[in-house]
Amino acid sequence: GGLNRGWFVGDAARAQAEVPRHAIYATSWKREGLTFPMVWARRSETVAAVNVTERYAKPAAAAPTQARLGVRLWNHRGGARVVARVEVLDGERQILGSAQTKAGTADLNDMPRFELKAGSQGWLRFVLGEEEREQTFGPLEPGDPTVDANWSELSTMSAAIEALQDWLRLPAGERPADAPVLQWALSRKEAARALEVLAADRLTRLAAERKAAIEARELTEGDRTLRWLETTFGEAPAAGHSLWISMHGGGNAPARVNDRQWQNQGRLYQPAEGIYVAPRAPTDTWNLWHEAHIDPLFQSLIESYVAVRGVNPDRVYLMGYSAGGDGVWQLAPRMADRFAAAAMMAGHPNEASLLGLRNLPFALFMGGDDRAYKRNEVAAERAAELDRLADADPGGYVHLSRIYEGTGHWMNGKDAEALPWMADYSRNAWPKKIVWQQDDVVHRRFYWLRIPDDIAIGDRPLLRATVEGQTIEVTGDIPAKLCLRLTDLLVDLDQPISVRLNGREAFTGKVTRRAATILSALAERMDPPAAATASLCVE
């Protein structure tokens, strides 16, 4: 028993039972085939033995499976250490951990360490001030490997953006939709850069597709065609011209009557700056501008001018006179996320709701003696309603109301004051509070909310959504599934968010920025300022 704790225990622990030269034997009176090896009589088989190696040998130690990666950052080879944030990213660019590097009087062995699996590989991202640089690491050996990075030698472009640009260099029809880079997690800066390069690519291709249509001033969606008149005013600002869409009156009349109204609308207003477009309604029905085909035609018109003529997508304005004013009442609330401001001249709202105008500056102009269909009375009622909505919701429902006493359906040009008032506003594509009231023509996207294509939309449902800090609250007629289109302009995507639906906690956690989300947003609508970089669907 005592020998088990003797001087040879350490060596005996390394014995190998299956290798005769390295096994341990004991003598025995019982013969079972083994003989005791006697160094003084190597060929003798007179003494029986048993193999007792297992009493002393330790089980073979399992190969280590962990690596404690240490990281040091130097300003250059042979230089001084630098304090910066270091993030460890895996092969899909998900952040596995982050810390601060050490410098100054800190011991050289005092460095941040990250517990990773042996064999891991990925990227180290260093953030110094406003600049990010990267280098690869791995595969890691077990134990305590150390990476010494030199800031002056690090790549100034992330691997994600390099891979994305490689993907974009392929012909558009040969780009794999399942390319891994499209699903990689992106940092805030990477997402901003990815949006730039993806939008530039999409704009280039869309401009080529739509150039002929813009030059011909004729767009077709389905079985409807939109034609228009165009006049450009002023020099283009650095961010691009504004776009003014001005809808004519008429309706429920022969084509020649509506054509005269159209031609008149083309001369009616003159913004100080911008491309002024007067479209011809595709039909001659009474509801010229609020049939279901108008919405996609206008969306196509706007994105075509953004791509071909460099229009600023945050400065698109909607206006209309008479039947065109009817269209403004209808289109402005349901397409509020597309315009910077809207103005209604001498139109009737019919059943249109004003709730969707929460973030769209809206002006209404009416002659005090415009009594047909009680336009003057209804306009006064709607002006009062806008007053009430604005009072109840500070910051929302910005509006201007003008009812000119002594004028009839024609307001003698007084309504032109709308244009400088509208031009003071640019669109807020990511408001912290939205009110979405569906119309008889439904939309699946409104600001940062989206209803999936396979989810039914009921009769004029109403949703209200707010963002406070990292909490998103949605109330009202919530569909079976609702998707949130997200960006760092709305919430901090580096931190967890909470989503509540009618008071119920529906999600808590982080949401990942991905190039695939940006691609999808740009394909749905060529509107870079409103493109989401992350998406979350909740039920």
Side-chain angles (χ1 to χ4, degrees):
L3 288 177
N4 289 344
R5 298 183 296 276
W7 56 267
F8 67 95
V9 168
D11 290 338
R14 294 194 293 272
Q16 298 172 271
E18 68 279 5
V19 182
R21 289 176 58 83
H22 300 294
I24 300 175
Y25 300 91
T27 59
S28 172
W29 295 105
K30 187 176 181 179
R31 291 190 175 274
E32 294 183 336
L34 292 178
T35 57
F36 190 86
M38 297 178 287
V39 295
W40 60 90
R42 293 182 183 279
R43 292 186 175 87
S44 175
E45 297 181 351
T46 57
V47 181
V50 292
N51 190 323
V52 294
T53 306
E54 64 181 12
R55 299 179 188 175
Y56 302 93
K58 294 181 180 179
T65 61
Q66 293 298 110
R68 297 179 64 248
L69 174 63
V71 181
R72 292 184 293 218
L73 179 64
W74 308 79
N75 56 5
H76 57 79
R77 289 181 184 270
R81 283 182 297 164
V82 178
V83 175
R85 188 169 87 250
V86 57
E87 298 172 345
V88 180
L89 285 69
D90 65 12
E92 294 184 351
R93 314 255 325 153
Q94 297 281 358
I95 297 177
L96 302 179
S98 64
Q100 292 284 118
T101 57
K102 301 296 181 70
T105 59
D107 188 276
L108 279 178
N109 292 317
D110 184 4
M111 69 187 82
R113 289 196 174 273
F114 302 91
E115 295 285 345
L116 304 172
K117 291 183 179 180
S120 294
Q121 54 187 331
W123 294 270
L124 296 174
R125 178 192 293 147
F126 297 92
V127 183
L128 186 58
E130 295 297 316
E131 190 170 355
E132 295 180 359
R133 298 187 181 184
E134 293 187 351
Q135 81 170 46
T136 59
F137 72 85
L140 295 177
E141 295 291 333
D144 298 318
T146 297
V147 170
D148 281 301
N150 299 297
W151 179 259
S152 62
E153 300 174 14
L154 297 179
S155 171
T156 57
M157 181 182 292
S158 79
I161 300 304
E162 289 180 338
L164 186 59
Q165 290 184 329
D166 287 342
W167 183 82
L168 285 170
R169 289 187 187 101
L170 297 172
E174 299 177 16
R175 297 169 184 170
D178 60 349
V181 65
L182 300 182
Q183 298 300 331
W184 283 358
L186 302 177
S187 70
R188 182 181 305 202
K189 287 191 173 181
E190 286 172 336
R193 180 58 180 155
L195 176 55
E196 287 179 4
V197 298
L198 290 172
D201 174 76
R202 174 71 178 141
L203 278 168
T204 299
R205 291 186 291 114
L206 187 62
E209 294 172 12
R210 302 284 177 82
K211 182 180 179 183
I214 291 298
E215 289 178 349
R217 299 178 186 174
E218 186 173 296
L219 271 171
T220 298
E221 291 284 333
D223 62 349
R224 298 296 183 183
T225 296
L226 188 73
R227 296 176 293 135
W228 63 90
L229 305 172
E230 177 198 300
T231 307
T232 300
F233 296 91
E235 295 295 323
H241 268 307
S242 55
L243 178 66
W244 300 75
I245 301 174
S246 184
M247 298 179 288
H248 66 78
N252 198 27
R256 65 180 184 278
V257 174
N258 292 327
D259 283 342
R260 285 198 298 270
Q261 296 283 349
W262 172 37
Q263 295 296 326
N264 180 67
Q265 196 73 20
R267 302 183 294 267
L268 194 54
Y269 302 106
Q270 297 184 1
E273 173 279 315
I275 301 175
Y276 178 80
V277 168
R280 171 49 162 98
T283 68
D284 294 303
T285 56
W286 72 271
N287 54 342
L288 294 173
W289 297 109
H290 45 102
E291 292 196 64
H293 56 259
I294 297 298
D295 305 56
L297 280 168
F298 276 15
Q299 295 283 18
S300 182
L301 179 71
I302 294 166
E303 69 176 9
S304 297
Y305 268 90
V306 169
V308 179
R309 300 288 295 279
V311 157
N312 182 345
D314 284 330
R315 293 185 64 79
V316 180
Y317 302 93
L318 181 70
M319 54 200 306
Y321 208 103
S322 192
D326 295 0
V328 174
W329 282 120
Q330 302 280 337
L331 291 169
R334 70 193 191 208
M335 294 180 64
D337 60 342
R338 201 62 199 82
F339 301 115
M344 187 291 308
M345 288 84 165
H348 195 290
N350 297 295
E351 82 296 345
S353 169
L354 300 181
L355 295 178
L357 298 175
R358 198 270 166 190
N359 300 295
L360 178 65
F362 187 86
L364 67 88
F365 300 87
M366 186 66 64
D369 296 335
D370 192 353
R371 296 185 176 87
Y373 310 105
K374 297 184 178 181
R375 289 193 191 98
N376 53 355
E377 295 179 26
V378 174
E381 292 169 0
R382 292 303 179 98
E385 183 180 351
L386 285 168
D387 288 341
R388 292 192 296 272
L389 288 169
D391 288 343
D393 187 356
Y397 298 100
V398 173
H399 65 283
L400 172 68
S401 303
R402 291 285 190 268
I403 299 181
Y404 301 112
E405 297 302 328
T407 64
H409 194 54
W410 173 245
M411 292 174 276
N412 301 320
K414 293 182 177 182
D415 49 294
E417 68 172 296
L419 281 76
W421 182 85
M422 296 167 73
D424 280 343
Y425 295 98
S426 292
R427 178 185 60 163
N428 176 10
W430 298 97
K432 298 283 188 176
K433 181 176 182 179
I434 58 179
V435 182
W436 187 6
Q437 171 84 71
Q438 291 278 7
D439 196 3
D440 55 344
V441 177
V442 300
H443 282 233
R444 292 194 170 271
R445 167 178 165 177
F446 192 71
Y447 292 105
W448 40 269
L449 295 180
R450 193 182 191 288
I451 300 173
D453 295 342
D454 60 345
I455 300 297
I457 298 176
D459 183 22
R460 301 176 190 267
L462 174 62
L463 289 175
R464 300 177 188 272
T466 58
V467 177
E468 291 187 9
Q470 293 293 99
T471 299
I472 298 174
E473 182 91 30
V474 185
T475 60
D477 305 312
I478 297 174
K481 180 183 288 187
L482 182 65
C483 296
L484 307 179
R485 305 174 58 257
L486 301 175
T487 169
D488 288 282
L489 298 173
L490 194 66
V491 290
D492 183 353
L493 291 171
D494 289 327
Q495 305 299 325
I497 67 170
S498 174
V499 180
R500 298 178 61 82
L501 304 179
N502 283 332
R504 173 180 61 85
E505 193 79 26
F507 175 84
T508 300
K510 286 188 177 183
V511 186
T512 302
R513 309 176 192 89
R514 302 185 196 277
T517 303
I518 300 171
L519 268 178
S520 177
L522 294 172
E524 181 181 56
R525 184 187 298 177
M526 187 56 244
D527 188 1
T533 58
S535 180
L536 171 68
C537 293
V538 289
E539 299 181 7

